[in-house]
Amino acid sequence: MNKRSRFLLILAVIALCFVFLWPSLAWYVRTPQEVQALALSSLEKIKDYSSVMAAKDVNTLKNIQRADRAAVLTSEYAWLEKEAKKLYKKSGLTYSSPMTVREALMIFTDETEDASKAEAEVRAVFENRYRKEILKAKNRYNRAVKLGLDLSGGMSVIVKADLDAALEAQKGTVASDDESGFREQAMVQAIDTLRSRIDRFGLSEPVIRKQGEDRIYIELPGSAEADRINTIILGKGILNIRLVDMQATSAFNEYHAAHMADTFTASGKLLDPSVIPSDTEVLGLYTKDDYGLDEREGYLVVKKEAVLDGKHIKSATVGAGQLGKPEVHLTLDTEGAVIFGEFTASHVDDFLAIVSDDKVKSYARINEAIPGGNVAISGFGVEEAQNLQKVLQTAWLSVPLTVESQQVVGASMGEQLIRQGVKAVLLGLSLVLVFMLVWYTGAGINAVVAQILNLFMMFSILSAFGLTITLPGIAGMILTIGMAVDANVVIFERIRDELRLGKSRAAAVNAGFDRAFGAVMDSNITTFIAALFLSQLGTGPIQGFAVSLAIGVFSSVFTALFVSRLIFDFGTQALHREKIYIGWGIKR
C-alpha cells in the first residue's frame, strides 16, 4: 500500500471512530448532570417530571400574560415562537413581531374549546418538548460507552428461571420436538416481564440480559433496596380473557363521575364494594402513551371468573382485517377452542376483555359464535397489534424465578474506582510514552502518536458496540498499551538492525517493517486467540477483561503497522529527511 492510500485509510478510520465515539462524548461531556439523572430514571419518573415542568411553564406564561397582555416572548421560549410561527403560517393568520406571549399561547388552542381543555393542549405542547429532550438523552446514553456496576455503583442480581418446571406445567400441550422453542420463548418473556416490572416501579435504567441457558443478569445502577428488588423480580403476571358487564360499567362510571375523590383508596381498592355486583371487579382500561407506558383511559367492570386462561393460547400472529386494519389472530388448543366456542355462542353481543397484570389491554364485542379455536382481535394500530401479539403469545408462560445471587456496590466506591482507573490508564500510558521517547528519541514520537490514536480507537469501538467499561476492562486497556508499544519496539529494533548494516533511512524503514511484520502478527494473533477463549469461557469480570484485550489487539496492530509507517514515510518522502533518530548511538 502506497503512502497516499495509507493516509486516506487512516483518515477514514479516524473519521469513523469519531462518529462511533460521538454519542459517548455527547453524553458524558455535553449532557448536563441533571438531564443525565432524568434520562437514567424510569419512564414513569420522566413522565411525571415532564408533566410537572410543563404545568409550571404554562402557569408562568399565563401569569406574564395577565400582568401585561402585550408582553413578548423572551429568548428562553425561542423554540415556542418557532413552533407557533409554523402554525400561523399554516393557518394564514398574522402575528406581531416580536411575537407576544398571548399570540404564542392562542395559536395552539381552538377558540371553540373550553378553558380547561385549551390549557391542557398548551401543556401537552410543553410536555412534548420535555419528553423529546429527555428521551433523546436516554437514546444517547443507550448508544454511549457505559460504566459497569463496579464503577457506577448499584446492585447486580442473577435470576434463575426454572424452565423444567415451566415445561412440566405445560406437559401435554408442548410437542417434544418444540421443547427448545418453548424454553427460548419462556426466557424471552421472563426478560420482558422483568424489564416491565422494574421500570414500572420507578427504578433506574436497568441492564437486563440473558446469561447462559436459564439465567438472567440484572444490573440496577444507583442505590436500590434488596428486599424491594426481590419482591419485584419474584412477582407474577397473569393473562386471561374475561366477560365485561357493560350495565355495571355504565352504572359505575356514573358513580365515579359523581364521587371521583372518594371512589378508591390510595392503593386503588373500592371504598364501597356495593356499587358493583359481588361477582365482578373494576379494572382500568389502558393504552400505550407517548412514553410507551400504560395510560388509563377509563374503567371497565369485568367478571372475576376468567372465561379463558392464557395457557390455552397456542400462538398469536399479526394480520390484516377486511378493511386492511391490523388484527391479532389467536390459535387456541383443543380444550380452549371448545370452551371459547361454547361461551361465545351463548354471549353474542356481549363484550370480552383481554386482561394482563390486572389491566384491561383491550375489549371487543362478540358478534357471533367463534368455534374452531381461531380468534381475531381488532381495533389496534400496527405497533399496538405487534405488542399485543407478543403479550398474548408469551404472557401465559409461567416460569418460576428465583434470585440466585445479588451484590451491592456503593456509589462512593464506584466513583473512587473510576478515579483510580483513569489514573492507572493515564499513568501507564505516560510511563510507556516517556520510556519510548527516552529510549528511541525522535522515533519515539511515532509511538506516542500511535498509542494516543490506539486509545482513541479502543474507546470508539466500545462506543460503537454499546459495550460497558468495567474495572477488569480498564486492566485490559492497560495491558493493551504495553502490548501495543511492544509492536513498536519490535519494528524499531528491526529498523536499527538495518541501519547498522549501513542502509539508508528509506531502505531501513521498508526492510524493518517487512521483517517485523511476521513477529508482530504472531504475537497479536496468539493474544487475540487467548482473549477469544476468555470471552467465550469466562463470565463477568473475565469477559470484560477479554473484550478490552481483543479490541486492543486490533487497534494496536493497525496503529503500529499503518500509523507509525505513515509517519516514517512522511518524514522521508514529504520532508525529505535522510537521517533517522531511533535510539542512542543510532543516527543515520
Side-chain angles (χ1 to χ4, degrees):
M1 183 179 291
N2 59 40
K3 180 184 66 176
R4 177 173 296 179
S5 300
R6 193 178 293 113
F7 178 69
L8 294 176
L9 175 62
I10 293 172
L11 284 182
V13 169
I14 292 175
L16 187 62
C17 287
F18 183 79
V19 172
F20 289 157
L21 194 58
W22 176 248
S24 298
L25 294 175
W27 171 257
Y28 290 105
V29 178
R30 304 188 67 214
T31 305
Q33 290 289 334
E34 59 272 17
V35 177
Q36 288 186 9
L38 285 168
L40 291 176
S41 62
S42 68
L43 293 175
E44 291 279 4
K45 288 187 177 180
I46 294 174
K47 181 177 181 178
D48 292 341
Y49 172 82
S50 300
S51 299
V52 170
M53 294 304 297
K56 286 183 178 179
D57 285 347
V58 171
N59 288 336
T60 299
L61 289 179
K62 287 175 66 177
N63 291 335
I64 293 174
Q65 178 186 338
R66 292 192 190 101
D68 182 5
R69 292 176 62 86
V72 299
L73 284 174
T74 61
S75 58
E76 179 184 356
Y77 298 101
W79 67 270
L80 180 64
E81 182 176 359
K82 183 178 179 181
E83 294 297 322
K85 285 181 178 179
K86 291 180 182 178
L87 293 178
Y88 272 108
K89 184 177 181 180
K90 185 177 180 180
S91 62
L93 300 175
T94 58
Y95 56 88
S96 305
S97 182
M99 184 179 293
T100 64
V101 173
R102 182 171 180 274
E103 290 172 329
L105 295 178
M106 285 180 56
I107 194 61
F108 290 102
T109 61
D110 188 340
E111 293 181 356
T112 62
E113 296 175 342
D114 58 56
S116 60
K117 189 174 181 180
E119 183 176 336
E121 289 199 10
V122 176
R123 284 202 307 269
V125 174
F126 281 81
E127 184 177 349
N128 182 58
R129 175 172 173 79
Y130 280 108
R131 180 178 64 250
K132 283 184 175 179
E133 287 183 350
I134 300 172
L135 293 183
K136 183 179 179 181
K138 182 182 281 289
N139 181 58
R140 194 181 302 141
Y141 168 76
N142 291 334
R143 295 184 292 117
V145 173
K146 300 172 183 61
L147 299 178
L149 204 65
D150 53 356
L151 297 178
S152 62
M155 175 183 288
S156 66
V157 184
I158 296 179
V159 178
K160 186 179 186 301
D162 194 343
L163 300 181
D164 292 332
L167 192 59
E168 181 66 25
Q170 301 300 323
K171 192 173 182 180
T173 63
V174 179
S176 58
D177 59 347
D178 193 39
E179 289 186 4
S180 61
F182 174 90
R183 290 173 177 271
E184 185 68 27
Q185 192 180 55
M187 286 299 293
V188 170
Q189 175 58 20
I191 291 173
D192 288 344
T193 301
L194 287 174
R195 180 174 284 109
S196 175
R197 289 176 190 166
I198 290 172
D199 192 80
R200 192 196 317 155
F201 276 78
L203 300 173
S204 299
E205 180 79 7
V207 174
I208 305 176
R209 62 176 180 265
K210 182 179 176 182
Q211 188 176 78
E213 181 183 355
D214 59 355
R215 284 170 173 77
I216 302 169
Y217 178 75
I218 305 172
E219 282 188 2
L220 297 168
S223 59
E225 300 174 9
D227 292 340
R228 186 181 182 211
I229 297 300
N230 293 342
T231 300
I232 295 171
I233 290 173
L234 300 179
K236 294 183 179 179
I238 301 174
L239 179 133
N240 50 60
I241 300 176
R242 301 202 213 175
L243 181 66
V244 181
D245 189 331
M246 294 304 294
Q247 184 176 354
T249 297
S250 298
F252 172 79
N253 286 332
E254 291 179 5
Y255 174 84
H256 181 248
H259 306 83
M260 294 187 68
D262 53 3
T263 300
F264 297 101
T265 65
S267 60
K269 293 184 178 180
L270 275 176
L271 283 170
D272 183 6
S274 64
V275 300
I276 59 173
S278 59
D279 63 340
T280 64
E281 63 179 323
V282 177
L283 297 179
L285 174 62
Y286 290 83
T287 58
K288 294 293 184 182
D289 63 9
D290 293 330
Y291 300 85
L293 295 171
D294 288 331
E295 182 178 40
R296 189 180 65 242
E297 61 176 22
Y299 293 96
L300 288 179
V301 178
V302 301
K303 296 292 185 181
K304 292 181 180 179
E305 184 179 357
V307 174
L308 194 71
D309 284 332
K311 66 181 181 180
H312 293 296
I313 300 173
K314 291 176 61 178
S315 65
T317 58
V318 176
Q322 294 181 350
L323 300 178
K325 294 184 177 180
E327 287 185 346
V328 178
H329 300 278
L330 309 180
T331 302
L332 307 178
D333 60 17
T334 304
E335 182 183 357
V338 173
I339 295 173
F340 198 70
E342 293 177 352
F343 184 87
T344 53
S346 59
H347 290 83
V348 175
D349 291 333
D350 287 338
F351 285 81
L352 286 179
I354 305 293
V355 180
S356 178
D357 281 335
D358 291 329
K359 295 180 180 180
V360 177
K361 298 296 186 178
S362 66
Y363 73 106
R365 183 190 296 272
I366 304 173
N367 295 318
E368 58 184 357
I370 307 174
N374 295 314
V375 185
I377 304 176
S378 59
F380 304 96
V382 175
E383 186 174 350
E384 289 177 316
Q386 291 172 343
N387 290 338
L388 184 61
Q389 172 204 6
K390 195 172 186 180
V391 171
L392 291 175
Q393 191 171 22
T394 57
W396 60 271
L397 295 172
S398 179
V399 184
L401 301 176
T402 56
V403 176
E404 196 169 66
S405 67
Q406 55 184 275
Q407 180 182 7
V408 178
V409 179
S412 59
M413 182 181 293
E415 293 177 0
Q416 180 181 357
L417 292 175
I418 291 175
R419 290 193 296 269
Q420 291 176 347
V422 172
K423 287 181 180 178
V425 171
L426 294 179
L427 182 60
L429 180 63
S430 300
L431 291 176
V432 167
L433 297 185
V434 168
F435 170 79
M436 294 299 290
L437 287 172
V438 171
W439 189 255
Y440 291 105
T441 60
I445 297 175
N446 293 26
V448 172
V449 175
Q451 288 305 301
I452 293 174
L453 186 57
N454 180 38
L455 210 56
F456 171 71
M457 289 178 63
M458 288 181 65
F459 278 106
S460 300
I461 296 173
L462 286 171
S463 181
F465 290 98
L467 299 176
T468 301
I469 296 180
T470 60
L471 200 59
I474 293 177
M477 290 182 184
I478 297 173
L479 180 59
T480 299
I481 292 172
M483 292 187 55
V485 82
D486 179 66
N488 287 110
V489 169
V490 172
I491 293 170
F492 291 175
E493 290 299 328
R494 293 302 303 171
I495 294 175
R496 292 176 67 168
D497 290 341
E498 300 300 323
L499 290 172
R500 290 190 181 99
L501 296 176
K503 292 185 178 181
S504 65
R505 172 190 170 106
V509 169
N510 291 334
F513 273 92
D514 290 343
R515 295 182 179 180
F517 179 82
V520 171
M521 294 303 297
D522 285 347
S523 62
N524 281 279
I525 288 175
T526 52
T527 303
F528 178 77
I529 292 173
L532 184 63
F533 274 94
L534 283 175
S535 65
Q536 295 300 314
L537 301 178
T539 58
I542 297 176
Q543 283 185 327
F545 173 82
V547 169
S548 295
L549 188 58
I551 292 173
V553 167
F554 279 106
S555 59
S556 62
V557 168
F558 177 81
T559 55
L561 297 181
F562 286 85
V563 177
S564 292
R565 179 67 180 269
L566 180 66
I567 295 174
F568 277 122
D569 288 347
F570 180 80
T572 303
Q573 300 174 23
L575 302 180
H576 305 293
R577 290 179 177 171
E578 297 181 359
K579 295 181 179 181
I580 182 170
Y581 298 85
I582 194 165
W584 299 98
I586 304 292
K587 184 174 71 171
R588 291 181 182 274

